[in-house]
Every structure is written in structure tokens, then in C-alpha cells.
Amino acid sequence: MAKIIVTGGAGFIGSHLTDALIAFGHRVTVVDNLMLGQKKFINKKAKFVKADIRNFPVIKKIIRGADAVFHLAADPRLPLSIEDPKTTHEINVTGTLNVLEAARLGKVRKVIFSSSCAVYGDQPVPFREEYVPAPLNPYSMHKLMGEEYCRLYNSLFGLETVCLRYFNVYGPRKLATGAYPMVIPIFLEQKKRGQKLTIVGDGESTRDYVHVSDVVRANIAAWESKIGDGGVYNVGTGRQVSVNEIAELIGGKTKNLPARRGEMRYVAADNKKALRDLGWAPKTKFEDGLESLKKDWRIE
């Protein structure tokens, strides 16, 4: 039984990861300031500490002696990173540096960092890990800086680190409101209320939707692997799905809104590296995952 820290464990992905780790019998401490997370999502068997990753003395004390840290805490609101890059930098970059330094001082064996496919920017799909990153907004730059800190902490201090570049994660507990609402829960909420589905732009932009259960498996695979050199791994399915396709699968009338700045046009993962090094591959087909969500939302 390992002692594990999950930062951002009251969030969408972090809470699912916490559930899985506890199911495996591990002792989990959730660290979350509840700025974006939901206390109701926290597993009752987890120890919960309300704390901010910007507070280094507190984070240092919490992390000391842990076997592993899964670092998911962040402010992922892309538009906010453009409006307020300084505050979001403090959370996403300084906060990550605090976690890594606390892990180093606290003799933690491994840190698994939640990064984002947003670091790629607009490049030919599928995105491969050897691409030179080209962030389009401060949030994606923050994630890239977090990756570089993970690499440095391994090379300079021997702290084992792995960086997982999530593509578009969906599934239960992903809300239509909050940090960075995704089109799927927004459409489901609009459908439930009998409203038109709001398509941003022309609806032809694509994303690679990966189910949260597969992302949880990727995190655990990264922790259990022998990889620890700060390497980056795509966590996606390799399949592009457009906004228009999602609207068609959910059903209903639509209306178009102006496109947003700083967002990528086409997104898809090359996940061969994760399969080779981590033994990870996605299992949930998009249509199956969406159908399950429709049932959760009581949408026929």
C-alpha cells in the first residue's frame, strides 16, 4: 500500500484517479483549494487537505514522505490565461515548481504531471511527441514550462517524473459550467433544457476525445512503469471528432457563435509511444462513452 498525493483531487480527472487508487488499496491524500474542484467529488476514504499549491510551506509539509505525487492541480481556463496571464502563471507554473521542489525535498520517488496537447498548437495531425511545441496561449505555455521543470528535476536532482499530454478528456463529473467547460456537457445540458446547441465557429474544428477512465489508466501506468526521465506521452485516441459530429450524435437544433481566439483548429494524438513505453492504449470508443453520458443526463 503506497502513500499517494493527488493535487487537484477534487476536480474532474483527479477525483476519478483518486477513486481508482483507493480501489487498489492505496492511502490517498487529496490536495485542493476548491477554487474549481467540488468537495462532493472527493472519495470519502481519501484524506482531504484544503490547500493551495502556491503555498510552498504547506505543500512541502503535505508531500513529505509520499511514494508518488499525481500533479493535476491547475487553472485550465484558457480564456482566463489570456486575460490574466500573471495569476494563471503563478498557479500553473509556480505551483508546479512548488510541487516538484516539495517532492525533491520530501524524498518522493515519482511525480506524474498532467500536461496538455495544447502545447502543440496548430500543427499537422496526428500530433507526435517529437514535434516542436508551439503554444497559442499562456495556458499551453504554462504546461510546456511545467514539462520542462519535470525534465530538469529529473536530470539535476534524480527525481523521477513523467508528463502526460491529455487530449480532450470527457466522462462523468465533467460539468457544463466551471473551469473550462467542454462542448459535450454544454450540449447535453442544452439538449436537456430543450435549447439550441451552440456551435462555436463553423463546427468543423476537431478534437481527440479520450474517456476519463482511460486517462486514469494512463496515470497509473505511468506511475507503475520504469519510465521517469521527464518524458512526454500523448494520452489520446488518435481519432478526430468535430463539433458538428457531436451535435448530430446528441441531436437537436443548433446555432453558431463566433470563433474564439487562441484555440487550435484540428487535434488528434499519435499514441504509439504510450503503447510502447507504458503499455497503455485507450479502450472506450467515443460513441459508447457519449451514449453512457446521455443516459447519465437522462437524454433519450
Side-chain angles (χ1 to χ4, degrees):
M1 180 171 66
K3 178 185 176 183
I4 298 173
I5 309 295
V6 179
T7 71
F12 164 48
I13 301 171
S15 63
H16 282 283
L17 176 60
T18 298
D19 289 347
L21 292 167
I22 286 174
F24 282 121
H26 300 300
R27 290 182 293 127
V28 180
T29 297
V30 167
V31 180
D32 203 299
N33 66 1
L34 299 181
M35 181 177 73
L36 300 171
Q38 302 275 329
K39 194 169 184 180
K40 64 183 179 181
F41 290 164
I42 301 172
N43 192 299
K44 288 180 171 55
K45 294 182 179 179
K47 178 183 178 182
F48 171 55
V49 180
K50 186 178 180 181
D52 194 305
I53 56 174
R54 289 171 288 184
N55 188 335
F56 179 68
V58 171
I59 295 302
K60 177 183 173 184
K61 184 177 179 180
I62 295 168
I63 286 177
R64 185 187 300 128
D67 295 296
V69 176
F70 291 88
H71 179 40
L72 294 93
D75 190 330
R77 293 175 289 186
L78 185 156
L80 183 63
S81 78
I82 297 173
E83 296 166 15
D84 187 4
K86 186 177 183 298
T87 300
T88 50
H89 178 100
E90 289 168 356
I91 297 168
N92 296 335
V93 182
T94 305
T96 295
L97 179 58
N98 284 344
V99 169
L100 289 167
E101 181 66 358
R104 177 181 79 87
L105 295 174
K107 308 300 182 184
V108 173
R109 186 179 74 83
K110 199 169 198 175
V111 174
I112 297 88
F113 173 59
S114 291
S115 187
S116 169
C117 67
V119 302
Y120 290 112
D122 276 324
Q123 301 200 57
V125 294
F127 299 156
R128 296 192 295 272
E129 287 90 346
E130 60 264 30
Y131 279 5
V132 176
L136 296 176
N137 50 69
Y139 168 70
S140 52
M141 179 64 78
H142 299 161
K143 285 299 185 182
L144 180 60
M145 294 175 77
E147 291 181 2
E148 287 299 304
Y149 269 124
C150 286
R151 182 184 61 80
L152 280 174
Y153 264 72
N154 174 253
S155 62
L156 290 176
F157 307 120
L159 175 66
E160 291 187 27
T161 58
V162 183
C163 303
L164 302 179
R165 289 177 175 170
Y166 301 159
F167 282 66
N168 288 71
V169 189
Y170 74 103
R173 299 179 195 159
K174 183 65 175 176
L175 305 176
T177 57
Y180 186 25
M182 182 187 281
V183 67
I184 293 172
I186 289 175
F187 279 1
L188 290 170
E189 182 67 21
Q190 290 171 337
K191 174 75 172 180
K192 190 174 182 178
R193 294 182 178 183
Q195 301 170 340
K196 289 183 178 180
L197 310 185
T198 52
I199 295 174
V200 176
D202 62 7
E204 289 303 305
S205 293
T206 65
R207 294 293 182 265
D208 183 332
Y209 292 96
V210 56
H211 196 269
V212 66
S213 61
D214 286 325
V215 174
V216 167
R217 289 176 42 252
N219 272 272
I220 293 172
W223 172 42
E224 293 178 341
S225 75
K226 294 181 180 179
I227 304 297
D229 60 357
V232 298
Y233 292 88
N234 288 338
V235 179
T237 67
R239 175 184 172 186
Q240 295 184 72
V241 179
S242 73
V243 177
N244 289 333
E245 287 178 81
I246 297 170
E248 188 175 341
L249 285 168
I250 291 175
K253 294 181 179 180
T254 63
K255 66 177 180 180
N256 290 74
L257 301 176
R260 289 188 289 254
R261 59 182 177 148
E263 295 201 355
M264 301 185 300
R265 180 65 167 163
Y266 304 113
V267 175
D270 182 319
N271 56 26
K272 296 185 186 70
K273 185 181 177 185
L275 177 61
R276 182 191 72 208
D277 292 357
L278 307 179
W280 176 87
K283 292 182 177 180
T284 304
K285 185 180 176 183
F286 179 71
E287 286 81 0
D288 295 339
L290 184 59
E291 192 61 34
S292 178
L293 277 179
K294 286 169 68 175
K295 290 177 182 177
D296 289 346
W297 288 64
R298 295 185 174 89
I299 292 173
E300 298 297 328

